[in-house]
Amino acid sequence: MALQEFIRQAFETNWHWTERYIADLSQAEIEFRPSDHCHSIGFILWHYGRALDMWVQTLAMGGTQLYEQGWAGRMGMTPEPTDVGFGYGEEELNSWTCPEKALLVEYANAALHNLLDFLSAHDDESLQSTELTTHWGETINLARMFAMLLWEVNQHGGQASYLRGMQRGLNQ
């Protein structure tokens, strides 16, 4: 299997299972937080989309994020391109307002499809040879960027599944 196809399948599989875990959850379950210093599934979904959007649109393509092109406004948020939820403390988490589940899913789905469109424009050679500079100053190639993003979305899919289990128990 080629690298590009592996990356595509990994992202599609992750999103399939994430959607499956949240499909029948109510808005209250999406907003549930075990404590004041924990994320909700809604926050995780928002961050999921934000991470994909920021990495692909800003770092890889050097363009404006989907979030700045109307998604932030639709969610009642400020279109700040660097606000992806990373490093939020208890105060930020407590003041964060969760958008409707359908909107969060729609945004994450749009960011994923944007990522997949970007990926399809690259063959295995360009995934290895195309370099970008991260916001912390490290130079990485596109293959490494996708590996980092896959690690991140796998973490978040698991977190959402765990929070679902906390609320519903096993196999519910």
Side-chain angles (χ1 to χ4, degrees):
M1 174 185 301
L3 177 60
Q4 184 212 51
E5 183 58 25
F6 174 81
I7 293 169
R8 172 178 297 283
Q9 285 184 21
F11 275 104
E12 288 173 344
T13 299
N14 174 275
W15 183 241
H16 165 79
W17 284 101
T18 300
E19 280 189 304
R20 185 172 176 199
Y21 292 143
I22 63 169
D24 62 344
L25 295 180
S26 68
Q27 186 67 26
E29 289 170 311
I30 291 292
E31 293 179 21
F32 166 78
R33 293 172 51 210
S35 71
D36 286 346
H37 59 273
C38 293
H39 300 148
S40 65
I41 292 172
F43 185 89
I44 293 166
L45 287 173
W46 173 74
H47 174 71
Y48 189 114
R50 294 296 298 119
L52 298 182
D53 195 6
M54 186 271 302
W55 276 89
V56 172
Q57 287 297 115
T58 300
L59 290 175
M61 295 175 65
T64 304
Q65 295 172 29
L66 303 175
Y67 194 66
E68 298 171 87
Q69 298 173 29
W71 281 101
R74 289 181 64 193
M75 290 187 251
M77 298 178 177
T78 304
E80 173 53 53
T82 60
D83 184 11
V84 297
F86 180 77
Y88 271 29
E90 195 170 325
E91 184 178 325
E92 292 95 348
L93 288 173
N94 288 325
S95 66
W96 189 82
T97 302
C98 187
E100 291 295 316
K101 177 178 96 169
L103 192 56
L104 291 167
V105 170
E106 191 179 344
Y107 172 58
N109 212 358
L112 173 64
H113 282 89
N114 184 60
L115 177 148
L116 295 174
D117 288 347
F118 175 75
L119 173 64
S120 70
H122 294 277
D123 60 16
D124 289 1
E125 182 180 323
S126 71
L127 288 170
Q128 296 289 347
S129 64
T130 303
E131 294 185 336
L132 57 97
T133 303
T134 66
H135 57 271
W136 61 88
E138 181 182 357
T139 301
I140 61 172
N141 64 22
L142 288 176
R144 176 77 176 129
M145 179 195 80
F146 284 119
M148 293 168 71
L149 278 172
L150 282 168
W151 175 85
E152 182 159 349
V153 297
N154 281 325
Q155 296 275 329
H156 297 319
Q159 291 165 342
S161 175
Y162 184 81
L163 287 170
R164 175 195 169 92
M166 283 184 73
Q167 297 175 83
R168 292 205 171 179
L170 294 173
N171 302 316
Q172 297 297 317

